[in-house]
Amino acid sequence: MTVIAIGTAADGAPAGPGFGYTVDTLAAWLAGGQAPGAFATGVAIVVAWVVPMLVLVFPLAALGQIAERKIAAAIQRREGPNSAGLDGPLRLLCRAVLFFLPRPRQDRVFERLSALPVVRTVLATARRIGLGQLLADGVKMLGKEDIVPADADGVVFRMAPYLAMVGAFLPFCVVPFGHHLVMLESPVGALFAIAASGITVLALKMAGWGSGSKWSLLGGMRAVAQLISYEIPVGLAVAGVVLWCGTMDLHAIVGQQYRDGALTLLGWNALQSPFLLLLACILFFAGLAECQRTPFDMAEAESELVSGFNTEYSGLRWGMFAMAEYTEMLLVSALVATLFFGGYQSPLGEQWIVALPVWLSVPIHAVLLLLKMLAGFGLMMWIRWTLPRFRVDQVMRLCWLSLVPLCLLALLGLAAQLLCAGGATLGVPYGRLPARLQPDLGMVGHLVGWAVPLLLGGVVVRAARRRHGQMHPALRQLTGGAP
Amino acid sequence: MADTPQPPGTLPPGTPPGTPPPGSAPAERPGNREDQQIHLTAVDEFLAWGKENSLFYLLFATACCGIELMQAGGPRYDLDRLGMIPRATPRQADLMIVAGTITHKMAGRVRTLWEQMTEPRWVVSMGSCANSGGPFSKWSYSVLNGIDKYVPVDIYIPGCPPRPEALIDGVMALRARVRRYRTLGERDREPLVVGGADAPFGCHFPKDAPPGARS
Amino acid sequence: MTVEATTPSGERMTLNMGPQHPATHGVLRIVVESDGEIVASCTPDHGYLHRSIEKIGECVEWPMVVPYTDRVDYVCAMNANLAYCVAVEKLLNTDPAAAVQVPLRAECIRVLVAELNRISSHMVAVGAMAMDTGAVTPFLHGIAQRELVNDIFEKLCGQRLTYNYVTVGGVAFDLYPDAAAEIARFLDQFEIEMRRFNKLITANAIFRDRCAGVAAVSAAEAIAWGLVGPNLRASGVDYDVRRDDPYGIYERLQVRVPVGQGFAGRRGKVGDCYDRFVVRLLEVQESVRLCRAALAMLPPPADGKPADPVGGFQADVKKLLLRPPKGEVHCRTESARGEMGYYLVSDGTKVPYRVRVRTGSFSAAGIFHHVMRGIFLADVVAVIGSFDVVVPEIDR
Amino acid sequence: MTQAAPQFATLPFATLADRARTVCAAATSRTTDNGQPFLLVPAADLPALAQFLRDDAALRFDALMDLTGFDLLKYPKAETPNAIAVLYLLFSYRHRHRLQLRVLAPRELCTVPTVSAIWPAALYFEREVFDLLGVTFTGHPSLQRIMNPTDWEGHPLRKDYVYPDAYHGVAHLREGQHFETNPPRAGDPPPPAAAPKPPGGHA
């Protein structure tokens, strides 16, 4: 089990401002040999942070909103948006390019251009999958009247959407999209991600309080209660991974999940131990609550609170809240993928990708991580259009009486497993059994590590089911079982 | 086909479905025509394309037409195809479809809802009750005969209740109007009756429709 | 989980749900006193859709009232028509000279369309309650089934929602040629669809926990507050007008009546939101059975003679209906929202003297104030959905 | 779940009326013009009779199915034309028998004691009868209009009700819309000879 030494400065990164390999190389390249000054560092930081955001995350969040309406339509057996294609932007492009022609001539050129077979098929497919729908929504929101309610707290009301966007985009700095495609290689990446996503709580409360309407106040209160209490399970789940991997640097965590051979899959943290698998589910579920997705969307529950904290928002401010929500969904999927499902590594055979030249392996890694993010994204949408919504007390009871105890149980199990089975940890000095006492059971330890918790879990579940009682015969008849 | 005598007010065949029959809308006012728009810019046209394809309608179903509005949002007719999603709060709605009977007690609320909506906003009056009191206009003391006494209406859709196709026909007529919306240009405020008095009612025509009927 | 009516934090906030609110079905306004999460008290405010059907009943002639009964309960308009027509027939039958004999085929068609409309009405009710608790998809699947029923009714009488189809003495038109086959096809695919619908929402643990034990109404309370129909049967009272006070040919069809038994299991109580939800689904299964029985009992059409006692679809009431006998009658039929009672007073002229319609939603709205104390704000929405309240039935 | 039809101790109207008269002697059993029997009860001792009808073991009228009324002003050959008849349609789920009580309330002093303490369903029914017919129910906890707005004048279901021509300054009829005198409207203009049909557009 060889572990590729993914040091930060170890493999000869040039001396730079110390923000990490990418920024350092960029700054050094910009400075042209001598020590990069403040300007070069600043440009490097902006390019290293803004480009991944604009290229990778922002369009994905935008396409996500279209995908959401299409997936919802598919689940509900209807058509979904298919009338907004790319004809509007194409017409605008024609007008811009042929600015020197009078309008009717521009229209004729546009008709002839869109009559070309290739362009016609492209426009038709774009229209059928509703590619232009989000563009149309965005453009409409641009043109909407900008209303700040009379009894609203102006500053707080205007600041809330921007803070929501910050809370959603900032944690992406530490998410590694490739070997060295990470904006901020910080040794405490995991902790930074959780802390940065805490800003959204502030933004929602500001929106709730700032709008000055009872409905949004209620939405804001619920949002605060839910998000703060679900920070605990998220934190504990990340703590479990840190305990297992021994480091908080996301880049190193991904590195540890590397295995030679065809099935790099086996190296993933989620498959190392049942407790880690449990923590992965808890992190995903608590992540759902972080971005207020059904079944946890009481903060903006349409049917009760009219529209929760964004009742008074209209136009682009409301659009920003929607964009922040979808980006947060991507963030949760990215964190789950990075911590538990091998980050940017491919499930089948990672070594041939690493062998590729840098300008090819990095994009492939980025695409792999994006695919894992899309998988999490699709699962969240599927859940949204299937499940009803929890009530406030049920959300709190679920968090404090079941998720947090489960997390603590999982941490306990992980610690026990580490002590006796000597899990695959990178040499972290603290709290290890002395080497001679460490039995290297290998595969047997692995299997026992899986068998014992699953047996215990089965017993507990069977007892709970017996206590809960059978489904009523009338219900069984309704769902097609024997009456 | 062209020389057969057309009944008054019907459109020559082949005109796009959204355009209003000539009889119902008054003569085009001078400032309203396409090439006479003073601030006509390509970006304005693009913004109008955006508005046209994303009309969020206010969830405001009062009576029987409300059920047809829900059916229009349902799997078969699916207003979401046209980019229209129901929004619960007037702030985020561009279009108010008044679907159902409005009584005197409810009329003030309709006005408040309209005032809370953000500009540019449109109103579609769906069903005879909203148009003119419908079956209750003569014998009921509590029904408001027509919501245009409280809010400016853009499109009237006759029917009790109008079929979802008639609602979508009305929405297409409204989209034709939204397409002509210019941020600084003059808005055409003339109400338009879908399937007006002289054109046969309904939007889907039986196969043996008279030759002049709209396609 | 009993929470006392005064909210723990003490200070009260007045919230105004409606008259335009996503959850209230139509224009029902509820003023809620709450501390934000727990409701201390709620007062419904009605009249936003008061179209004075009863005053119109005193201005128009007897057969002209039928289109207005459609608009009393537009979700289940066939039953609303049937209720009025059965009442007028009972009024005519009080005078042996003006007695009316509805042909057997018309009676079978009446049962058929009434039960089909009950199915589509319950699909909207059940779907709307699921949407109130946050699951949007069941509502759209319910509406998809309703579209199929609308197609059948559209071929039958030309309208999708307000049919004006059942008339005094029979029905307006005979069945179109392949109506029976089409209805049978619909019923078969409907049962398969219902199994999937129930797996999606009825057996869903989140939905069950959301509705279990919420706003439970005991049998005595339900009777005292005048609940009728599925709301009454969910509280354990075994009463259905079609079986216990039959009209038309319902006594020949064995009507089985589902009753609430605390379906939610450990946390549920008899007569809670979940029971009302499940009783409606069980009633839909009963309606499918009744439709099939009515199809089996359908006599062949008497070609040409609408008033034929067996095969006709319309008794000859033209001259009788002009001036029904002077007097009063009280008649009850089972609509989707429970017992719809008509009290007709005739003074022997062409125009009714008084048309009084008592609907299930009116008494269901009456119990809101009593039931919605000490529950959560989110439950207010679920409770409204569970009582399946249609606003024109309250305001008339 | 086929249920056997349980037996009920259903009593005919005559026995019901006799048992009722044991408590309220002034109750007289009458029939409508087409033979439907009912019990005419003076308003004063209605609550006592109602309490007895609900609590008596043999009667057990536990459900007030409907509480409504109608104006006798224009009823042909009514004994008391200047009154409003308030009807109580009672039903017993236990014994499956029905009874109709009727109270005649004079139009000027239109008060009937409430029965909402006995059957809570009467809370909404009485508010509706108060709103539409103007019968005040003494002792009702919150007697206010349920259908019409609180500032509505008149009681619409009375036979001498005149339709208002405006509400909050908004005219009731549309311009050019006129109906002959049924129903009577305030400020009814004399019907014009023939309303000219507007050219082209529709009314």
Side-chain angles (χ1 to χ4, degrees):
Chain A
M1 180 189 60
T2 63
V3 173
I4 290 186
I6 309 283
T8 49
D11 52 3
F19 278 98
Y21 184 84
T22 332
V23 177
D24 295 351
T25 34
L26 258 175
W29 177 69
L30 277 173
Q34 68 269 38
F39 176 74
T41 326
V43 166
I45 287 175
V46 164
V47 166
W49 283 5
V50 168
V51 164
M53 279 297 103
L54 284 186
V55 168
L56 297 177
V57 175
F58 204 83
L60 207 61
L63 289 177
Q65 296 197 10
I66 304 173
E68 165 115 67
R69 283 171 69 172
K70 276 293 187 184
I71 288 178
I75 291 178
Q76 293 163 357
R77 288 200 225 126
R78 52 186 177 86
E79 185 54 32
N82 66 1
S83 77
L86 295 180
D87 49 342
L90 187 65
R91 189 185 293 271
L92 180 69
L93 199 66
C94 281
R95 294 241 191 282
V97 167
L98 310 169
F99 62 90
F100 44 87
L101 288 178
R103 280 176 56 79
R105 291 283 299 281
Q106 288 172 351
D107 290 340
R108 257 205 308 286
V109 166
F110 172 74
E111 259 90 35
R112 270 213 302 284
L113 183 67
S114 54
L116 296 178
V118 177
V119 177
R120 200 175 54 235
T121 42
V122 165
L123 286 184
T125 37
R127 178 187 296 272
R128 201 158 16 82
I129 59 174
L131 208 54
Q133 188 55 53
L134 190 83
L135 187 62
D137 290 353
V139 154
K140 179 211 75 173
M141 285 179 195
L142 270 176
K144 287 298 280 183
E145 176 188 0
D146 178 13
I147 277 190
V148 178
D151 50 11
D153 182 338
V155 174
V156 171
F157 183 80
R158 290 185 178 82
M159 277 298 295
Y162 310 128
L163 266 183
M165 295 281 270
V166 164
F169 280 98
L170 195 55
F172 269 104
C173 312
V174 286
V175 172
F177 286 87
H179 260 314
H180 288 299
L181 195 62
V182 61
M183 292 170 249
L184 181 66
E185 281 181 23
S186 77
V188 282
L191 186 61
F192 178 86
I194 303 172
S197 71
I199 299 176
T200 333
V201 181
L202 187 63
L204 297 189
K205 187 55 205 160
M206 284 165 68
W209 164 261
S211 310
S213 106
K214 288 184 192 135
W215 294 118
S216 43
L217 185 69
L218 274 180
M221 291 299 294
R222 284 185 176 185
V224 167
Q226 172 183 321
L227 262 65
I228 287 180
S229 48
Y230 274 88
E231 298 268 337
I232 312 287
V234 166
L236 289 174
V238 171
V241 172
V242 167
L243 175 66
W244 183 264
C245 299
T247 159
M248 276 203 276
D249 181 354
L250 290 181
H251 207 277
I253 290 175
V254 169
Q256 275 187 29
Q257 299 176 40
Y258 172 80
R259 287 295 179 276
D260 274 339
L263 280 180
T264 357
L265 193 65
L266 297 180
W268 287 357
N269 280 340
L271 306 180
Q272 296 309 304
S273 138
F275 298 112
L276 279 175
L277 187 61
L278 177 63
L279 286 182
C281 301
I282 289 177
L283 181 62
F284 182 79
F285 214 52
L288 263 179
E290 286 285 319
C291 22
Q292 300 104 41
R293 293 287 298 183
T294 306
F296 295 96
D297 68 346
M298 307 126 16
E300 48 177 277
E302 270 81 28
S303 54
E304 301 132 36
L305 300 177
V306 182
S307 185
F309 57 86
N310 49 25
T311 307
E312 298 299 333
Y313 282 90
S314 67
L316 207 52
R317 284 203 183 91
W318 172 46
M320 278 194 193
F321 272 116
M323 184 58 78
E325 181 195 337
Y326 283 94
T327 313
E328 185 119 10
M329 280 165 66
L330 283 178
L331 170 71
V332 168
S333 329
L335 277 179
V336 169
T338 310
L339 293 171
F340 291 98
F341 296 103
Y344 50 79
Q345 296 178 349
S346 86
L348 310 160
E350 172 68 9
Q351 67 276 9
W352 57 268
I353 295 180
V354 172
L356 289 173
V358 176
W359 57 269
L360 199 58
S361 73
V362 166
I364 289 180
H365 280 156
V367 165
L368 282 170
L369 181 64
L370 290 187
L371 287 181
K372 289 178 185 172
M373 283 160 76
L374 280 183
F377 209 62
L379 193 57
M380 287 185 182
M381 289 184 198
W382 189 9
I383 290 175
R384 168 175 185 164
W385 297 106
T386 320
L387 294 181
R389 190 181 294 127
F390 278 118
R391 213 177 32 212
V392 174
D393 62 320
Q394 289 169 343
V395 165
M396 291 306 146
R397 185 179 305 125
L398 178 74
C399 172
W400 294 102
L401 301 185
S402 42
L403 286 191
V404 168
L406 273 178
C407 282
L408 298 177
L409 177 76
L411 286 180
L412 207 63
L414 275 180
Q417 218 163 0
L418 277 178
L419 272 180
C420 54
T425 38
L426 203 57
V428 171
Y430 69 91
R432 307 290 310 116
L433 273 179
R436 55 184 172 66
L437 279 182
Q438 206 174 31
D440 188 0
L441 304 172
M443 190 47 77
V444 171
H446 206 69
L447 289 181
V448 166
W450 272 94
V452 167
L454 287 182
L455 282 176
L456 284 178
V459 166
V460 166
V461 166
R462 201 171 304 109
R465 178 162 294 158
R466 202 174 311 110
R467 193 165 55 84
H468 191 67
Q470 275 298 336
M471 187 196 282
H472 194 277
L475 288 187
R476 223 179 296 113
Q477 181 211 346
L478 276 178
T479 50
Chain B
M1 181 67 181
D3 47 22
T4 54
Q6 305 289 359
T10 51
L11 297 164
T15 49
T19 48
S24 58
E28 295 288 340
R29 274 207 307 285
N32 228 352
R33 280 222 319 274
E34 196 71 23
D35 47 12
Q36 287 170 349
Q37 292 288 336
I38 25 172
H39 295 289
L40 180 77
T41 64
V43 174
D44 227 349
E45 188 185 42
F46 176 58
L47 290 179
W49 170 82
K51 293 184 179 55
E52 175 199 355
N53 278 306
S54 121
L55 284 164
F56 293 170
Y57 60 95
L58 182 66
L59 200 58
F60 183 42
T62 45
C64 342
C65 296
I67 298 286
E68 285 296 71
L69 185 61
M70 284 187 231
Q71 299 281 12
R76 178 179 287 182
Y77 299 99
D78 197 5
L79 285 174
D80 195 10
R81 283 179 298 122
L82 310 171
M84 298 172 66
I85 348 173
R87 291 309 304 170
T89 129
R91 294 274 191 248
Q92 294 155 10
D94 322 314
L95 163 65
M96 173 153 86
I97 301 182
V98 181
T101 316
I102 299 297
T103 57
H104 285 297
K105 193 173 182 181
M106 185 65 189
R109 302 300 168 92
V110 174
R111 179 70 192 188
T112 334
L113 280 173
W114 181 75
E115 276 156 7
Q116 286 173 351
M117 285 166 67
T118 45
E119 211 51 54
R121 56 192 166 195
W122 290 271
V123 176
V124 167
S125 158
M126 173 182 179
S128 313
C129 289
N131 297 347
S132 68
F136 307 102
S137 58
K138 176 173 183 182
W139 291 295
S140 172
Y141 49 84
S142 59
V143 170
L144 175 72
N145 284 4
I147 58 165
D148 48 11
K149 296 176 178 173
Y150 274 85
V151 283
V153 175
D154 289 290
I155 304 281
Y156 289 96
I157 304 175
C160 183
R163 296 178 55 86
E165 286 97 337
L167 173 63
I168 290 176
D169 195 14
V171 161
M172 298 313 280
L174 180 71
R175 280 167 67 114
R177 169 165 295 192
V178 168
R179 208 174 296 137
R180 294 200 305 274
Y181 176 86
R182 295 295 174 263
T183 318
L184 298 176
E186 189 181 300
R187 270 189 68 159
D188 38 7
R189 289 240 177 260
E190 295 315 315
L192 162 67
V193 178
V194 167
D198 33 34
F201 161 70
C203 49
H204 68 98
F205 294 94
K207 279 175 277 311
D208 46 13
R214 280 188 311 131
S215 57
Chain C
M1 180 190 68
T2 58
V3 176
E4 77 289 349
T6 57
T7 57
S9 58
E11 89 277 359
R12 289 273 186 78
M13 171 202 298
T14 313
L15 288 172
N16 191 348
M17 285 172 78
Q20 182 266 336
H21 186 272
T24 51
H25 302 235
V27 273
L28 170 69
R29 172 175 173 238
I30 293 192
V31 180
V32 175
E33 288 274 328
S34 133
D35 77 334
E37 244 356 285
I38 294 170
V39 169
S41 83
C42 90
T43 348
D45 176 12
H46 304 288
Y48 290 97
L49 199 59
H50 174 57
R51 305 185 278 198
S52 60
I53 303 282
E54 293 179 356
K55 182 72 179 181
I56 293 175
E58 293 168 10
C59 301
V60 291
E61 296 173 11
W62 287 94
M64 285 170 66
V65 175
V66 174
Y68 288 99
T69 57
D70 281 334
R71 281 143 184 91
V72 161
D73 176 7
Y74 46 75
V75 184
C76 191
M78 284 294 187
N79 292 63
N81 284 357
L82 187 60
Y84 174 75
C85 294
V86 167
V88 175
E89 281 154 16
K90 192 173 178 186
L91 179 65
L92 289 170
N93 291 345
T94 53
D95 165 12
V100 166
Q101 172 56 32
V102 180
L104 175 62
R105 183 173 171 83
E107 288 287 5
C108 290
I109 295 176
R110 280 182 170 184
V111 167
L112 199 57
V113 287
E115 294 308 323
L116 270 179
N117 205 224
R118 191 190 308 276
I119 290 173
S120 67
S121 164
H122 280 331
M123 289 318 292
V124 169
V126 157
M129 179 171 174
M131 186 157 76
D132 289 345
T133 55
V136 184
T137 311
F139 179 72
L140 286 157
H141 289 178
I143 277 193
Q145 292 305 311
R146 196 180 150 81
E147 283 290 344
L148 301 177
V149 176
N150 283 353
D151 291 346
I152 296 171
F153 284 158
E154 194 179 353
K155 284 192 200 140
L156 197 57
C157 51
Q159 246 293 0
R160 290 163 47 87
L161 199 65
T162 49
Y163 311 110
N164 188 7
Y165 175 65
V166 181
T167 58
V168 179
V171 286
F173 313 98
D174 202 348
L175 288 180
Y176 54 94
D178 59 349
E182 194 169 326
I183 292 174
R185 272 200 308 275
F186 162 74
L187 292 175
D188 299 339
Q189 67 86 25
F190 178 74
E191 280 183 327
I192 300 162
E193 180 57 33
M194 276 315 289
R195 272 199 287 279
R196 181 190 303 175
F197 181 92
N198 288 324
K199 286 200 187 85
L200 174 66
I201 190 75
T202 316
N204 187 305
I206 299 177
F207 182 74
R208 196 177 59 237
D209 292 348
R210 242 335 261 285
C211 300
V214 174
V217 176
S218 70
E221 259 179 344
I223 292 175
W225 285 85
L227 289 186
V228 282
N231 303 333
L232 181 70
R233 289 189 280 278
S235 304
V237 179
D238 182 3
Y239 179 81
D240 186 326
V241 181
R242 292 173 292 175
R243 185 196 62 190
D244 301 325
D245 183 2
Y247 50 93
I249 55 167
Y250 273 109
E251 68 262 356
R252 294 191 221 166
L253 310 163
Q254 287 76 25
V255 180
R256 288 204 299 260
V257 178
V259 175
Q261 300 145 16
F263 296 111
R266 201 163 46 83
R267 261 196 296 273
K269 298 197 206 46
V270 177
D272 60 9
C273 274
Y274 194 72
D275 273 15
R276 286 187 279 274
F277 182 83
V278 170
V279 158
R280 281 196 185 86
L281 287 170
L282 294 170
E283 269 189 22
V284 158
Q285 284 189 337
E286 279 315 307
S287 295
V288 169
R289 205 180 52 74
L290 285 174
C291 279
R292 290 202 171 107
L295 277 177
M297 198 187 288
L298 199 62
D303 37 21
K305 295 201 297 300
D308 171 82
V310 174
F313 59 90
Q314 173 63 279
D316 184 5
V317 288
K318 291 295 176 291
K319 52 186 181 345
L320 294 177
L321 199 55
L322 277 182
R323 282 174 174 69
K326 189 175 159 199
E328 302 162 23
V329 79
H330 176 59
C331 178
R332 296 157 303 282
T333 52
E334 183 74 23
S335 144
R337 271 149 212 81
E339 178 177 316
M340 198 175 228
Y342 267 87
Y343 195 86
L344 302 177
V345 178
S346 151
D347 56 0
T349 63
K350 282 194 298 185
V351 174
Y353 188 78
R354 174 76 162 101
V355 174
R356 157 67 178 179
V357 49
R358 181 258 196 256
T359 54
S361 301
F362 189 67
S363 47
I367 207 172
F368 279 170
H369 176 76
H370 172 67
V371 151
M372 287 194 213
R373 280 199 295 255
I375 58 174
F376 282 87
L377 198 58
D379 288 340
V380 168
V381 183
V383 168
I384 296 174
S386 76
F387 279 108
D388 182 19
V389 162
V390 174
V391 175
E393 266 207 344
I394 305 173
D395 299 347
R396 284 183 306 280
Chain D
M1 11 184 211
T2 54
Q3 302 106 332
Q7 296 317 321
F8 297 105
T10 318
L11 303 174
F13 176 77
T15 25
L16 295 177
D18 298 343
R19 279 196 70 82
R21 265 192 287 281
T22 58
V23 164
C24 149
T28 58
S29 48
R30 295 280 185 79
T31 65
T32 62
D33 295 338
N34 56 355
Q36 308 293 322
F38 63 88
L39 207 60
L40 189 60
V41 178
D45 43 22
L46 173 66
L49 178 62
Q51 187 74 38
F52 168 73
L53 287 176
R54 192 192 64 165
D55 295 345
D56 179 58
L59 302 177
R60 187 62 70 203
F61 282 105
D62 42 19
L64 173 69
M65 291 317 284
D66 200 353
L67 188 160
T68 180
F70 63 96
D71 189 353
L72 288 166
L73 189 62
K74 295 206 171 90
Y75 194 76
K77 293 196 291 302
E79 310 89 40
T80 57
N82 189 6
I84 289 180
V86 182
L87 315 173
Y88 297 78
L89 307 172
L90 307 176
F91 174 62
S92 157
Y93 280 101
R94 177 77 55 80
H95 303 310
R96 290 303 194 319
H97 42 232
R98 294 180 187 285
L99 176 66
Q100 180 190 130
L101 304 183
R102 183 171 298 198
V103 174
L104 294 176
R107 294 172 71 83
E108 310 77 26
L109 185 58
C110 223
T111 56
V112 172
T114 179
V115 290
S116 51
I118 302 155
W119 295 293
L123 286 170
Y124 260 40
F125 287 132
E126 284 172 353
R127 278 180 64 187
E128 184 189 16
V129 174
F130 164 71
D131 183 358
L132 299 181
L133 277 162
V135 178
T136 29
F137 291 87
T138 51
H140 188 282
S142 63
L143 194 65
Q144 48 185 305
R145 286 188 184 268
I146 190 170
M147 296 298 175
N148 294 311
T150 39
D151 58 0
W152 192 267
E153 305 91 27
H155 301 288
L157 278 185
R158 289 194 175 192
K159 287 298 176 182
D160 53 7
Y161 178 70
V162 175
Y163 279 41
D165 57 0
Y167 178 72
H168 284 185
V170 175
H172 187 68
L173 298 181
R174 304 180 66 82
E175 53 294 332
Q177 197 176 23
H178 68 281
F179 302 107
E180 62 279 16
T181 53
N182 168 22
R185 289 179 188 280
D188 245 354
K197 185 172 183 322
H202 68 126

